[in-house]
Amino acid sequence: MSDLVFIWAVYLLAQFADVATTRAALRGGLVEANPLIARLMGLTGNWWAVKFGVALAAGILLTWLGQQHWIMLLAAITGGVAVNNWRLVRKHRERR
């Protein structure tokens, strides 16, 4: 597997994990902390599609510019957000 395929796999997995854990948090009664995404949620029911579209565009642009290391940084940050989301979901479930 090439480095670029690996980078994109990690990046896309992080995006999916963020959306999945955000949806789990919302179903559990928690609210979106990111004001930009919260606003987007109020404007469209397909916020996750817009988020994927923006992430895809950013990844394509960074790949085109030869800046794959920034894609890995975004993947790490997004993965961290997903882990935090899951932590909050579990904590919220334990309180109920």
Side-chain angles (χ1 to χ4, degrees), residues 47-83:
W47 61 271
W48 54 270
V50 176
K51 182 192 182 316
F52 279 138
V54 170
L56 188 60
I60 289 169
L61 177 64
L62 289 170
T63 299
W64 182 70
L65 293 172
Q67 302 295 312
Q68 290 86 353
H69 57 282
W70 289 108
I71 299 172
M72 283 302 292
L73 178 62
L74 289 174
I77 292 168
T78 305
V81 168
V83 168

Side-chain angles (χ1 to χ4, degrees), residues 10 27 29 37:
V10 171
R27 280 192 308 271
I37 297 296

Side-chain angles (χ1 to χ4, degrees), residues 4-20:
L4 188 56
V5 170
F6 175 76
I7 289 168
W8 269 93
V10 171
Y11 182 62
L12 293 174
L13 180 62
Q15 299 302 323
F16 281 114
D18 181 26
V19 168

Side-chain angles (χ1 to χ4, degrees), residues 87-96:
R87 183 186 62 81
L88 291 171
V89 167
R90 291 186 63 201
K91 188 175 182 180
H92 185 70
R93 286 180 184 166
E94 290 171 0
R95 288 186 182 164
R96 292 195 285 167

Side-chain angles (χ1 to χ4, degrees), residues 15-60:
Q15 299 302 323
F16 281 114
D18 181 26
V19 168
T21 57
T22 297
R23 290 177 62 134
L26 295 172
R27 280 192 308 271
L30 298 171
V31 297
E32 175 60 53
N34 180 332
L36 183 61
I37 297 296
R39 176 88 170 122
L40 187 60
M41 288 174 173
L43 295 175
T44 177
N46 297 325
W47 61 271
W48 54 270
V50 176
K51 182 192 182 316
F52 279 138
V54 170
L56 188 60
I60 289 169

